[in-house]
mmCIF file of all heavy atoms in Angstrom:
data_model
loop_
_atom_site.group_PDB
_atom_site.id
_atom_site.type_symbol
_atom_site.label_atom_id
_atom_site.label_comp_id
_atom_site.label_asym_id
_atom_site.label_seq_id
_atom_site.Cartn_x
_atom_site.Cartn_y
_atom_site.Cartn_z
ATOM 1 N N ALA C 190 -11.008 -8.221 -2.400
ATOM 2 C CA ALA C 190 -12.140 -7.284 -2.451
ATOM 3 C C ALA C 190 -11.766 -6.018 -3.217
ATOM 4 O O ALA C 190 -12.569 -5.497 -4.003
ATOM 5 C CB ALA C 190 -12.592 -6.940 -1.032
ATOM 6 N N LEU C 191 -10.563 -5.511 -3.016
ATOM 7 C CA LEU C 191 -10.127 -4.332 -3.757
ATOM 8 C C LEU C 191 -10.019 -4.623 -5.247
ATOM 9 O O LEU C 191 -10.294 -3.754 -6.085
ATOM 10 C CB LEU C 191 -8.781 -3.843 -3.220
ATOM 11 C CG LEU C 191 -8.810 -3.146 -1.863
ATOM 12 C CD1 LEU C 191 -7.396 -2.964 -1.324
ATOM 13 C CD2 LEU C 191 -9.525 -1.803 -1.966
ATOM 14 N N HIS C 192 -9.629 -5.843 -5.583
ATOM 15 C CA HIS C 192 -9.529 -6.234 -6.990
ATOM 16 C C HIS C 192 -10.905 -6.393 -7.624
ATOM 17 O O HIS C 192 -11.130 -5.939 -8.755
ATOM 18 C CB HIS C 192 -8.743 -7.545 -7.107
ATOM 19 C CG HIS C 192 -8.697 -8.107 -8.485
ATOM 20 N ND1 HIS C 192 -8.037 -7.482 -9.529
ATOM 21 C CD2 HIS C 192 -9.246 -9.248 -9.006
ATOM 22 C CE1 HIS C 192 -8.165 -8.204 -10.634
ATOM 23 N NE2 HIS C 192 -8.900 -9.280 -10.340
ATOM 24 N N GLU C 193 -11.815 -7.036 -6.898
ATOM 25 C CA GLU C 193 -13.137 -7.304 -7.463
ATOM 26 C C GLU C 193 -14.091 -6.125 -7.351
ATOM 27 O O GLU C 193 -15.098 -6.069 -8.055
ATOM 28 C CB GLU C 193 -13.743 -8.532 -6.769
ATOM 29 C CG GLU C 193 -12.969 -9.817 -7.046
ATOM 30 C CD GLU C 193 -13.642 -11.053 -6.498
ATOM 31 O OE1 GLU C 193 -14.450 -10.914 -5.534
ATOM 32 O OE2 GLU C 193 -13.379 -12.149 -7.015
ATOM 33 N N HIS C 194 -13.773 -5.179 -6.477
ATOM 34 C CA HIS C 194 -14.606 -3.977 -6.299
ATOM 35 C C HIS C 194 -13.699 -2.750 -6.395
ATOM 36 O O HIS C 194 -13.504 -2.032 -5.394
ATOM 37 C CB HIS C 194 -15.329 -4.027 -4.958
ATOM 38 C CG HIS C 194 -16.136 -5.272 -4.744
ATOM 39 N ND1 HIS C 194 -17.406 -5.433 -5.250
ATOM 40 C CD2 HIS C 194 -15.828 -6.439 -4.095
ATOM 41 C CE1 HIS C 194 -17.855 -6.637 -4.915
ATOM 42 N NE2 HIS C 194 -16.917 -7.256 -4.219
ATOM 43 N N PRO C 195 -13.139 -2.477 -7.565
ATOM 44 C CA PRO C 195 -12.160 -1.386 -7.696
ATOM 45 C C PRO C 195 -12.719 -0.023 -7.328
ATOM 46 O O PRO C 195 -11.959 0.878 -6.965
ATOM 47 C CB PRO C 195 -11.750 -1.445 -9.169
ATOM 48 C CG PRO C 195 -12.851 -2.201 -9.857
ATOM 49 C CD PRO C 195 -13.371 -3.171 -8.846
ATOM 50 N N GLU C 196 -14.036 0.132 -7.392
ATOM 51 C CA GLU C 196 -14.637 1.410 -7.018
ATOM 52 C C GLU C 196 -14.428 1.720 -5.542
ATOM 53 O O GLU C 196 -14.469 2.889 -5.119
ATOM 54 C CB GLU C 196 -16.137 1.409 -7.338
ATOM 55 C CG GLU C 196 -17.026 0.588 -6.416
ATOM 56 C CD GLU C 196 -16.957 -0.922 -6.631
ATOM 57 O OE1 GLU C 196 -16.268 -1.353 -7.588
ATOM 58 O OE2 GLU C 196 -17.591 -1.672 -5.859
ATOM 59 N N GLN C 197 -14.174 0.692 -4.737
ATOM 60 C CA GLN C 197 -13.965 0.898 -3.308
ATOM 61 C C GLN C 197 -12.638 1.596 -3.016
ATOM 62 O O GLN C 197 -12.507 2.306 -2.017
ATOM 63 C CB GLN C 197 -14.004 -0.440 -2.564
ATOM 64 C CG GLN C 197 -15.376 -1.098 -2.522
ATOM 65 C CD GLN C 197 -16.346 -0.354 -1.624
ATOM 66 O OE1 GLN C 197 -15.943 0.397 -0.735
ATOM 67 N NE2 GLN C 197 -17.628 -0.571 -1.860
ATOM 68 N N ARG C 198 -11.645 1.398 -3.891
ATOM 69 C CA ARG C 198 -10.331 1.958 -3.638
ATOM 70 C C ARG C 198 -10.390 3.478 -3.503
ATOM 71 O O ARG C 198 -9.754 4.068 -2.621
ATOM 72 C CB ARG C 198 -9.384 1.566 -4.773
ATOM 73 C CG ARG C 198 -7.916 1.880 -4.520
ATOM 74 C CD ARG C 198 -7.075 1.453 -5.715
ATOM 75 N NE ARG C 198 -7.181 0.032 -5.979
ATOM 76 C CZ ARG C 198 -6.370 -0.887 -5.465
ATOM 77 N NH1 ARG C 198 -5.378 -0.496 -4.664
ATOM 78 N NH2 ARG C 198 -6.520 -2.157 -5.746
ATOM 79 N N ALA C 199 -11.166 4.126 -4.359
ATOM 80 C CA ALA C 199 -11.256 5.587 -4.330
ATOM 81 C C ALA C 199 -11.965 6.093 -3.076
ATOM 82 O O ALA C 199 -11.832 7.271 -2.719
ATOM 83 C CB ALA C 199 -11.984 6.085 -5.576
ATOM 84 N N ARG C 200 -12.694 5.207 -2.392
ATOM 85 C CA ARG C 200 -13.438 5.619 -1.202
ATOM 86 C C ARG C 200 -12.596 5.539 0.070
ATOM 87 O O ARG C 200 -13.032 6.031 1.125
ATOM 88 C CB ARG C 200 -14.691 4.751 -1.044
ATOM 89 C CG ARG C 200 -15.657 4.862 -2.232
ATOM 90 C CD ARG C 200 -16.802 3.871 -2.100
ATOM 91 N NE ARG C 200 -17.659 3.908 -3.278
ATOM 92 C CZ ARG C 200 -18.670 3.060 -3.510
ATOM 93 N NH1 ARG C 200 -18.929 2.117 -2.614
ATOM 94 N NH2 ARG C 200 -19.384 3.158 -4.605
ATOM 95 N N LEU C 201 -11.431 4.926 -0.019
ATOM 96 C CA LEU C 201 -10.607 4.728 1.175
ATOM 97 C C LEU C 201 -9.774 5.976 1.445
ATOM 98 O O LEU C 201 -8.540 5.957 1.425
ATOM 99 C CB LEU C 201 -9.711 3.507 0.990
ATOM 100 C CG LEU C 201 -10.445 2.177 0.803
ATOM 101 C CD1 LEU C 201 -9.459 1.052 0.494
ATOM 102 C CD2 LEU C 201 -11.265 1.830 2.041
ATOM 103 N N THR C 202 -10.462 7.054 1.734
ATOM 104 C CA THR C 202 -9.792 8.353 1.893
ATOM 105 C C THR C 202 -9.660 8.787 3.341
ATOM 106 O O THR C 202 -9.006 9.794 3.620
ATOM 107 C CB THR C 202 -10.578 9.431 1.114
ATOM 108 O OG1 THR C 202 -11.940 9.448 1.589
ATOM 109 C CG2 THR C 202 -10.565 9.142 -0.385
ATOM 110 N N ASP C 203 -10.264 8.060 4.262
ATOM 111 C CA ASP C 203 -10.176 8.445 5.670
ATOM 112 C C ASP C 203 -10.275 7.209 6.547
ATOM 113 O O ASP C 203 -10.556 6.104 6.074
ATOM 114 C CB ASP C 203 -11.264 9.460 6.036
ATOM 115 C CG ASP C 203 -12.664 8.965 5.698
ATOM 116 O OD1 ASP C 203 -12.985 7.795 5.997
ATOM 117 O OD2 ASP C 203 -13.444 9.745 5.123
ATOM 118 N N ASP C 204 -10.032 7.385 7.834
ATOM 119 C CA ASP C 204 -10.030 6.262 8.770
ATOM 120 C C ASP C 204 -11.382 5.556 8.833
ATOM 121 O O ASP C 204 -11.444 4.334 8.977
ATOM 122 C CB ASP C 204 -9.633 6.749 10.169
ATOM 123 C CG ASP C 204 -8.178 7.170 10.250
ATOM 124 O OD1 ASP C 204 -7.414 6.837 9.328
ATOM 125 O OD2 ASP C 204 -7.812 7.844 11.239
ATOM 126 N N GLU C 205 -12.448 6.322 8.719
ATOM 127 C CA GLU C 205 -13.780 5.725 8.794
ATOM 128 C C GLU C 205 -14.032 4.806 7.608
ATOM 129 O O GLU C 205 -14.585 3.710 7.758
ATOM 130 C CB GLU C 205 -14.846 6.819 8.853
ATOM 131 C CG GLU C 205 -16.286 6.321 8.875
ATOM 132 C CD GLU C 205 -16.644 5.548 10.150
ATOM 133 O OE1 GLU C 205 -15.812 5.477 11.072
ATOM 134 O OE2 GLU C 205 -17.766 5.013 10.201
ATOM 135 N N ALA C 206 -13.616 5.214 6.425
ATOM 136 C CA ALA C 206 -13.796 4.378 5.236
ATOM 137 C C ALA C 206 -12.973 3.097 5.350
ATOM 138 O O ALA C 206 -13.439 2.008 4.982
ATOM 139 C CB ALA C 206 -13.410 5.158 3.984
ATOM 140 N N VAL C 207 -11.759 3.215 5.863
ATOM 141 C CA VAL C 207 -10.914 2.032 6.058
ATOM 142 C C VAL C 207 -11.540 1.106 7.090
ATOM 143 O O VAL C 207 -11.567 -0.120 6.923
ATOM 144 C CB VAL C 207 -9.491 2.451 6.476
ATOM 145 C CG1 VAL C 207 -8.690 1.244 6.938
ATOM 146 C CG2 VAL C 207 -8.785 3.156 5.325
ATOM 147 N N ARG C 208 -12.080 1.684 8.166
ATOM 148 C CA ARG C 208 -12.710 0.880 9.218
ATOM 149 C C ARG C 208 -13.883 0.084 8.668
ATOM 150 O O ARG C 208 -14.005 -1.125 8.926
ATOM 151 C CB ARG C 208 -13.193 1.776 10.356
ATOM 152 C CG ARG C 208 -13.844 1.017 11.517
ATOM 153 C CD ARG C 208 -14.563 1.949 12.479
ATOM 154 N NE ARG C 208 -15.749 2.551 11.878
ATOM 155 C CZ ARG C 208 -16.932 1.922 11.783
ATOM 156 N NH1 ARG C 208 -17.070 0.678 12.228
ATOM 157 N NH2 ARG C 208 -17.956 2.543 11.238
ATOM 158 N N THR C 209 -14.755 0.731 7.910
ATOM 159 C CA THR C 209 -15.944 0.045 7.400
ATOM 160 C C THR C 209 -15.567 -1.024 6.376
ATOM 161 O O THR C 209 -16.178 -2.099 6.343
ATOM 162 C CB THR C 209 -16.932 1.046 6.797
ATOM 163 O OG1 THR C 209 -16.307 1.760 5.710
ATOM 164 C CG2 THR C 209 -17.412 2.049 7.830
ATOM 165 N N PHE C 210 -14.551 -0.739 5.573
ATOM 166 C CA PHE C 210 -14.100 -1.721 4.594
ATOM 167 C C PHE C 210 -13.561 -2.964 5.308
ATOM 168 O O PHE C 210 -13.888 -4.103 4.947
ATOM 169 C CB PHE C 210 -13.013 -1.109 3.705
ATOM 170 C CG PHE C 210 -12.586 -1.988 2.560
ATOM 171 C CD1 PHE C 210 -13.197 -1.880 1.322
ATOM 172 C CD2 PHE C 210 -11.574 -2.922 2.722
ATOM 173 C CE1 PHE C 210 -12.799 -2.691 0.258
ATOM 174 C CE2 PHE C 210 -11.175 -3.736 1.682
ATOM 175 C CZ PHE C 210 -11.785 -3.615 0.438
ATOM 176 N N ALA C 211 -12.741 -2.752 6.332
ATOM 177 C CA ALA C 211 -12.173 -3.879 7.073
ATOM 178 C C ALA C 211 -13.266 -4.701 7.756
ATOM 179 O O ALA C 211 -13.214 -5.945 7.749
ATOM 180 C CB ALA C 211 -11.166 -3.371 8.100
ATOM 181 N N GLN C 212 -14.250 -4.049 8.327
ATOM 182 C CA GLN C 212 -15.331 -4.783 8.979
ATOM 183 C C GLN C 212 -16.130 -5.612 7.971
ATOM 184 O O GLN C 212 -16.539 -6.739 8.259
ATOM 185 C CB GLN C 212 -16.263 -3.813 9.720
ATOM 186 C CG GLN C 212 -15.663 -3.175 10.960
ATOM 187 C CD GLN C 212 -15.515 -4.152 12.108
ATOM 188 O OE1 GLN C 212 -14.917 -5.214 11.967
ATOM 189 N NE2 GLN C 212 -16.059 -3.807 13.264
ATOM 190 N N GLU C 213 -16.345 -5.064 6.777
ATOM 191 C CA GLU C 213 -17.090 -5.820 5.778
ATOM 192 C C GLU C 213 -16.284 -7.014 5.273
ATOM 193 O O GLU C 213 -16.852 -8.064 4.977
ATOM 194 C CB GLU C 213 -17.488 -4.907 4.612
ATOM 195 C CG GLU C 213 -18.318 -5.583 3.528
ATOM 196 C CD GLU C 213 -19.732 -5.988 3.951
ATOM 197 O OE1 GLU C 213 -20.012 -6.065 5.172
ATOM 198 O OE2 GLU C 213 -20.574 -6.231 3.066
ATOM 199 N N VAL C 214 -14.965 -6.878 5.195
ATOM 200 C CA VAL C 214 -14.125 -8.027 4.866
ATOM 201 C C VAL C 214 -14.316 -9.119 5.915
ATOM 202 O O VAL C 214 -14.489 -10.300 5.581
ATOM 203 C CB VAL C 214 -12.639 -7.607 4.772
ATOM 204 C CG1 VAL C 214 -11.732 -8.837 4.741
ATOM 205 C CG2 VAL C 214 -12.399 -6.747 3.536
ATOM 206 N N ARG C 215 -14.314 -8.757 7.182
ATOM 207 C CA ARG C 215 -14.483 -9.731 8.254
ATOM 208 C C ARG C 215 -15.860 -10.388 8.206
ATOM 209 O O ARG C 215 -16.010 -11.574 8.532
ATOM 210 C CB ARG C 215 -14.282 -9.072 9.624
ATOM 211 C CG ARG C 215 -12.873 -8.548 9.847
ATOM 212 C CD ARG C 215 -12.765 -7.830 11.204
ATOM 213 N NE ARG C 215 -12.879 -8.762 12.307
ATOM 214 C CZ ARG C 215 -13.738 -8.653 13.302
ATOM 215 N NH1 ARG C 215 -14.581 -7.628 13.360
ATOM 216 N NH2 ARG C 215 -13.763 -9.530 14.267
ATOM 217 N N ARG C 216 -16.872 -9.638 7.816
ATOM 218 C CA ARG C 216 -18.220 -10.196 7.749
ATOM 219 C C ARG C 216 -18.419 -11.064 6.518
ATOM 220 O O ARG C 216 -18.960 -12.171 6.588
ATOM 221 C CB ARG C 216 -19.265 -9.065 7.723
ATOM 222 C CG ARG C 216 -20.713 -9.589 7.740
ATOM 223 C CD ARG C 216 -21.696 -8.572 7.195
ATOM 224 N NE ARG C 216 -21.547 -8.359 5.762
ATOM 225 C CZ ARG C 216 -22.072 -9.140 4.823
ATOM 226 N NH1 ARG C 216 -22.754 -10.220 5.145
ATOM 227 N NH2 ARG C 216 -21.890 -8.853 3.546
ATOM 228 N N PHE C 217 -17.992 -10.563 5.374
ATOM 229 C CA PHE C 217 -18.365 -11.167 4.096
ATOM 230 C C PHE C 217 -17.595 -12.446 3.800
ATOM 231 O O PHE C 217 -18.169 -13.443 3.362
ATOM 232 C CB PHE C 217 -18.120 -10.156 2.977
ATOM 233 C CG PHE C 217 -18.542 -10.636 1.615
ATOM 234 C CD1 PHE C 217 -19.875 -10.608 1.240
ATOM 235 C CD2 PHE C 217 -17.610 -11.113 0.710
ATOM 236 C CE1 PHE C 217 -20.273 -11.048 -0.014
ATOM 237 C CE2 PHE C 217 -17.994 -11.552 -0.547
ATOM 238 C CZ PHE C 217 -19.328 -11.521 -0.908
ATOM 239 N N TYR C 218 -16.297 -12.426 4.059
ATOM 240 C CA TYR C 218 -15.469 -13.563 3.670
ATOM 241 C C TYR C 218 -15.420 -14.614 4.772
ATOM 242 O O TYR C 218 -15.577 -14.307 5.951
ATOM 243 C CB TYR C 218 -14.065 -13.089 3.303
ATOM 244 C CG TYR C 218 -14.039 -12.288 2.023
ATOM 245 C CD1 TYR C 218 -14.016 -10.898 2.049
ATOM 246 C CD2 TYR C 218 -14.073 -12.926 0.779
ATOM 247 C CE1 TYR C 218 -14.011 -10.158 0.875
ATOM 248 C CE2 TYR C 218 -14.070 -12.188 -0.398
ATOM 249 C CZ TYR C 218 -14.036 -10.809 -0.346
ATOM 250 O OH TYR C 218 -14.049 -10.081 -1.512
ATOM 251 N N ALA C 219 -15.173 -15.839 4.351
ATOM 252 C CA ALA C 219 -15.220 -16.976 5.270
ATOM 253 C C ALA C 219 -13.912 -17.092 6.046
ATOM 254 O O ALA C 219 -12.834 -17.141 5.462
ATOM 255 C CB ALA C 219 -15.482 -18.260 4.485
ATOM 256 N N PHE C 220 -14.013 -17.171 7.370
ATOM 257 C CA PHE C 220 -12.845 -17.392 8.221
ATOM 258 C C PHE C 220 -13.001 -18.797 8.806
ATOM 259 O O PHE C 220 -12.936 -19.771 8.092
ATOM 260 C CB PHE C 220 -12.755 -16.291 9.277
ATOM 261 C CG PHE C 220 -11.400 -16.127 9.906
ATOM 262 C CD1 PHE C 220 -10.275 -15.962 9.118
ATOM 263 C CD2 PHE C 220 -11.253 -16.107 11.276
ATOM 264 C CE1 PHE C 220 -9.009 -15.796 9.695
ATOM 265 C CE2 PHE C 220 -10.000 -15.937 11.867
ATOM 266 C CZ PHE C 220 -8.884 -15.785 11.068
ATOM 267 N N PHE C 221 -13.254 -18.949 10.087
ATOM 268 C CA PHE C 221 -13.547 -20.274 10.613
ATOM 269 C C PHE C 221 -15.057 -20.481 10.611
ATOM 270 O O PHE C 221 -15.817 -19.560 10.934
ATOM 271 C CB PHE C 221 -12.955 -20.453 12.003
ATOM 272 C CG PHE C 221 -11.465 -20.632 11.972
ATOM 273 C CD1 PHE C 221 -10.624 -19.603 12.333
ATOM 274 C CD2 PHE C 221 -10.922 -21.825 11.535
ATOM 275 C CE1 PHE C 221 -9.244 -19.766 12.277
ATOM 276 C CE2 PHE C 221 -9.549 -22.002 11.462
ATOM 277 C CZ PHE C 221 -8.702 -20.960 11.832
ATOM 278 N N PRO C 222 -15.537 -21.696 10.259
ATOM 279 C CA PRO C 222 -16.967 -21.879 10.003
ATOM 280 C C PRO C 222 -17.853 -21.956 11.238
ATOM 281 O O PRO C 222 -18.943 -21.373 11.261
ATOM 282 C CB PRO C 222 -17.013 -23.188 9.211
ATOM 283 C CG PRO C 222 -15.764 -23.917 9.597
ATOM 284 C CD PRO C 222 -14.726 -22.857 9.872
ATOM 285 N N VAL C 223 -17.414 -22.707 12.267
ATOM 286 C CA VAL C 223 -18.265 -22.925 13.437
ATOM 287 C C VAL C 223 -17.420 -22.905 14.694
ATOM 288 O O VAL C 223 -16.192 -23.048 14.652
ATOM 289 C CB VAL C 223 -19.022 -24.277 13.362
ATOM 290 C CG1 VAL C 223 -19.942 -24.334 12.158
ATOM 291 C CG2 VAL C 223 -18.044 -25.443 13.360
ATOM 292 N N VAL C 224 -18.095 -22.746 15.824
ATOM 293 C CA VAL C 224 -17.464 -22.901 17.127
ATOM 294 C C VAL C 224 -18.384 -23.787 17.965
ATOM 295 O O VAL C 224 -19.609 -23.714 17.839
ATOM 296 C CB VAL C 224 -17.217 -21.530 17.795
ATOM 297 C CG1 VAL C 224 -18.518 -20.799 18.068
ATOM 298 C CG2 VAL C 224 -16.405 -21.680 19.071
ATOM 299 N N GLY C 225 -17.783 -24.647 18.787
ATOM 300 C CA GLY C 225 -18.583 -25.617 19.526
ATOM 301 C C GLY C 225 -18.530 -25.419 21.028
ATOM 302 O O GLY C 225 -17.589 -24.839 21.565
ATOM 303 N N GLY C 226 -19.545 -25.927 21.701
ATOM 304 C CA GLY C 226 -19.594 -25.909 23.159
ATOM 305 C C GLY C 226 -20.435 -27.064 23.674
ATOM 306 O O GLY C 226 -21.268 -27.617 22.948
ATOM 307 N N ARG C 227 -20.195 -27.445 24.901
ATOM 308 C CA ARG C 227 -21.023 -28.434 25.597
ATOM 309 C C ARG C 227 -21.813 -27.721 26.677
ATOM 310 O O ARG C 227 -21.273 -26.881 27.413
ATOM 311 C CB ARG C 227 -20.144 -29.519 26.241
ATOM 312 C CG ARG C 227 -19.389 -30.376 25.244
ATOM 313 C CD ARG C 227 -20.249 -31.486 24.707
ATOM 314 N NE ARG C 227 -19.493 -32.358 23.796
ATOM 315 C CZ ARG C 227 -19.989 -33.453 23.254
ATOM 316 N NH1 ARG C 227 -21.230 -33.842 23.527
ATOM 317 N NH2 ARG C 227 -19.260 -34.189 22.431
ATOM 318 N N VAL C 228 -23.086 -28.043 26.786
ATOM 319 C CA VAL C 228 -23.948 -27.371 27.753
ATOM 320 C C VAL C 228 -23.466 -27.668 29.170
ATOM 321 O O VAL C 228 -23.314 -28.831 29.553
ATOM 322 C CB VAL C 228 -25.411 -27.803 27.581
ATOM 323 C CG1 VAL C 228 -26.288 -27.152 28.649
ATOM 324 C CG2 VAL C 228 -25.911 -27.436 26.183
ATOM 325 N N ALA C 229 -23.201 -26.602 29.925
ATOM 326 C CA ALA C 229 -22.780 -26.741 31.324
ATOM 327 C C ALA C 229 -23.919 -26.407 32.279
ATOM 328 O O ALA C 229 -24.013 -26.979 33.361
ATOM 329 C CB ALA C 229 -21.587 -25.841 31.615
ATOM 330 N N GLU C 230 -24.763 -25.460 31.885
ATOM 331 C CA GLU C 230 -25.939 -25.083 32.675
ATOM 332 C C GLU C 230 -27.175 -25.241 31.799
ATOM 333 O O GLU C 230 -27.274 -24.629 30.733
ATOM 334 C CB GLU C 230 -25.832 -23.626 33.146
ATOM 335 C CG GLU C 230 -24.752 -23.389 34.184
ATOM 336 C CD GLU C 230 -24.747 -21.953 34.675
ATOM 337 O OE1 GLU C 230 -25.530 -21.129 34.113
ATOM 338 O OE2 GLU C 230 -23.981 -21.635 35.598
ATOM 339 N N GLU C 231 -28.111 -26.060 32.224
ATOM 340 C CA GLU C 231 -29.325 -26.331 31.462
ATOM 341 C C GLU C 231 -30.072 -25.029 31.157
ATOM 342 O O GLU C 231 -30.188 -24.149 32.012
ATOM 343 C CB GLU C 231 -30.209 -27.275 32.263
ATOM 344 C CG GLU C 231 -31.446 -27.755 31.538
ATOM 345 C CD GLU C 231 -32.219 -28.780 32.360
ATOM 346 O OE1 GLU C 231 -31.669 -29.892 32.581
ATOM 347 O OE2 GLU C 231 -33.344 -28.455 32.791
ATOM 348 N N PHE C 232 -30.566 -24.904 29.920
ATOM 349 C CA PHE C 232 -31.355 -23.727 29.545
ATOM 350 C C PHE C 232 -32.383 -24.126 28.492
ATOM 351 O O PHE C 232 -32.297 -25.197 27.882
ATOM 352 C CB PHE C 232 -30.458 -22.595 29.035
ATOM 353 C CG PHE C 232 -29.795 -22.859 27.703
ATOM 354 C CD1 PHE C 232 -30.330 -22.337 26.529
ATOM 355 C CD2 PHE C 232 -28.630 -23.617 27.625
ATOM 356 C CE1 PHE C 232 -29.718 -22.578 25.294
ATOM 357 C CE2 PHE C 232 -28.005 -23.850 26.403
ATOM 358 C CZ PHE C 232 -28.549 -23.327 25.235
ATOM 359 N N THR C 233 -33.370 -23.258 28.295
ATOM 360 C CA THR C 233 -34.446 -23.521 27.337
ATOM 361 C C THR C 233 -34.468 -22.437 26.277
ATOM 362 O O THR C 233 -34.369 -21.245 26.588
ATOM 363 C CB THR C 233 -35.810 -23.587 28.051
ATOM 364 O OG1 THR C 233 -35.772 -24.629 29.037
ATOM 365 C CG2 THR C 233 -36.931 -23.857 27.068
#
């Protein structure tokens, strides 16, 4: 992300900017695709 969005580097001047950048990395990029479960209590 820093390579493809070099303008972001200059914005990483405080903890808040680092926090928001890290959260967007977690949102934008693919980690694990799905999580599964089996229904234990019926619901609608």
Side-chain angles (χ1 to χ4, degrees):
L191 286 169
H192 174 67
E193 295 186 336
H194 306 278
E196 74 284 355
Q197 291 290 338
R198 190 180 300 269
R200 299 174 184 173
L201 298 175
T202 57
D203 55 45
D204 291 346
E205 178 66 5
V207 169
R208 181 192 69 81
T209 60
F210 186 92
Q212 290 288 54
E213 182 68 342
V214 167
R215 296 177 69 234
R216 184 202 69 82
F217 183 79
Y218 291 99
F220 200 53
F221 286 104
V223 299
V224 63
R227 295 277 183 176
V228 177
E230 291 183 355
E231 186 175 294
F232 69 99
T233 301

